[in-house]
Amino acid sequence: MTRGAAAIALALLLLLAPPAAAGEWRGAGSPLALVAEGTVHGTVLTGGGHGYTSENPYAEYAELPAGTVTFARLSVPVWNYNEADTLDVLVNGQALPWEGAPRIVSAWGVASYLFDASGAARPGTNALEARYVNENGGPYGLYLTAVVENQTMPLTRFFVYEGNAALGPATRLDREVVEVDAVVETEGLVNATLATMQIAGTAGERDRLLFNDHLLGEDVGRAKTGPYLDVDTFDVTPYVNATGNRVVFERGDETYIHPFAAALVLTYADGTGVPGTGVTVHEPGRSGGGGVPLPVVGVLLLCVAGAGYLFFDRRRRRP
Ligand SMILES: [Ca+2]
């Protein structure tokens, strides 16, 4: 085979190979989508994780109040995903059903695994554990969102959003906007809390978090919860509107930050007439399995064109 023909073959191979072989770029990820909502007498708890530590198993404890756990979801953000990796999660020793792959993978292998923990989480102390196979990677946290119903507790309306949005110059994404697509009762509202989870924030690189254009914090992503992890809650009670509520994650001068989760939890006084609806669960689709960014495709196409030119040029010069 001539050098030109070899170059063509190599370029074609690169084009036809799965994205994982082309530098493992996984794209911009997915916006945060509504995964659960409802109105219950009870409470919504969010949190869990102590950052990327490489420990295996990765362990956490979650305290849930008395009541019935009607929805529990574990979001496990993981660094350096590759196709052969595995991640098994146990709650109180019970293995959660394993989807076999992350739900969303973005950037250079930031993965989001989602587990339904509704049947396994319970009031009291919950032992969470992740065991995994992942060379040079692992979890940033075990982030639990749990709805605990208890008739003695206040009426609580909630919206839970999950995703994996890679904000950075490489994806040309400067902000992630989460729109709360619902009319919200403001009468009788006692308290409103916004809970967020973000990956890969850097201290000193000023990102911003806003709720309805009110600045909640600057440099929120600064690895305060552990290496590469930020879990936060904000009181947004004064800022809630009846319609058009929205959360804005701004990259600012972060070179790289991933909003992963947001939950808006509204608590009402008794007798406000807000109807109880129970819990509705939505299942957004998978993403991030592929998608080589356009600049990479462009370079590959130029390689093919260049190799083709060399090949045909060489043929023309043959005696
Ligand atoms: Ca920051």
Side-chain angles (χ1 to χ4, degrees):
M1 193 186 285
T2 66
R3 231 170 44 192
I8 291 176
L10 177 65
L12 283 175
L13 261 177
L14 280 173
L15 264 185
L16 296 174
E24 304 195 17
W25 174 260
R26 309 294 184 134
S30 289
L32 274 62
L34 182 67
V35 294
E37 61 180 319
T39 308
V40 299
H41 278 281
T43 188
V44 180
L45 292 109
T46 53
H50 47 276
Y52 177 76
T53 59
S54 298
E55 68 202 68
N56 193 358
Y58 189 102
E60 273 284 324
Y61 292 91
E63 289 290 333
L64 298 183
T68 306
V69 180
T70 50
F71 172 81
R73 171 90 127 186
L74 260 174
S75 168
V76 186
V78 168
W79 167 238
N80 203 30
Y81 169 72
N82 288 293
E83 263 67 15
D85 294 350
T86 63
L87 181 77
D88 294 296
V89 172
L90 295 92
V91 174
N92 302 320
Q94 178 182 337
L96 300 183
W98 158 241
E99 290 192 320
R103 190 69 65 93
I104 305 164
V105 189
S106 72
W108 300 103
V110 175
S112 163
Y113 291 78
L114 298 175
F115 294 88
D116 179 8
S118 300
R122 61 191 183 212
T125 303
N126 291 266
L128 316 176
E129 191 179 286
R131 300 171 183 172
Y132 57 94
V133 175
N134 181 333
E135 199 175 340
N136 301 319
Y140 297 94
L142 290 171
Y143 189 78
L144 181 69
T145 302
V147 177
V148 180
E149 292 196 38
N150 182 331
Q151 290 305 314
T152 67
M153 287 183 177
L155 199 62
T156 298
R157 188 171 185 193
F158 60 91
F159 303 87
V160 179
Y161 301 86
E162 286 170 351
N164 175 351
L167 308 186
T171 58
R172 295 181 184 164
L173 292 178
D174 292 332
R175 60 181 54 79
E176 169 65 12
V177 180
V178 179
E179 306 268 4
V180 179
D181 185 17
V183 178
V184 167
E185 303 81 0
T186 52
E187 209 176 309
L189 180 69
V190 173
N191 183 265
T193 301
L194 174 71
T196 60
M197 188 259 281
Q198 300 186 77
I199 297 302
T202 301
E205 296 182 3
R206 279 173 309 160
D207 52 284
R208 287 151 52 95
L209 185 62
L210 301 101
F211 183 79
N212 294 347
D213 300 328
H214 296 273
L215 182 66
L216 300 179
E218 262 191 334
D219 202 6
V220 174
R222 57 177 188 272
K224 76 178 87 58
T225 315
Y228 306 100
L229 177 68
D230 286 282
V231 173
D232 292 281
T233 56
F234 302 90
D235 181 0
V236 294
T237 315
Y239 313 134
V240 173
N241 297 325
T243 58
N245 290 293
R246 64 180 205 157
V247 182
V248 180
F249 296 88
E250 275 189 7
R251 179 169 72 82
D253 45 48
E254 278 281 355
T255 49
Y256 193 65
I257 189 165
H258 290 242
F260 254 72
L264 179 64
V265 180
L266 311 156
T267 306
Y268 291 91
D270 275 345
T272 46
V274 176
T277 60
V279 182
T280 302
V281 177
H282 308 277
E283 280 298 335
R286 294 172 177 279
S287 80
V292 179
L294 278 178
V296 177
V297 172
V299 167
L300 288 176
L301 285 173
L302 279 174
C303 281
V304 171
Y309 174 78
L310 280 172
F311 178 63
F312 290 111
D313 190 49
R314 192 173 279 261
R315 278 175 68 101
R316 273 208 305 276
R317 283 186 200 172
R318 258 186 207 160

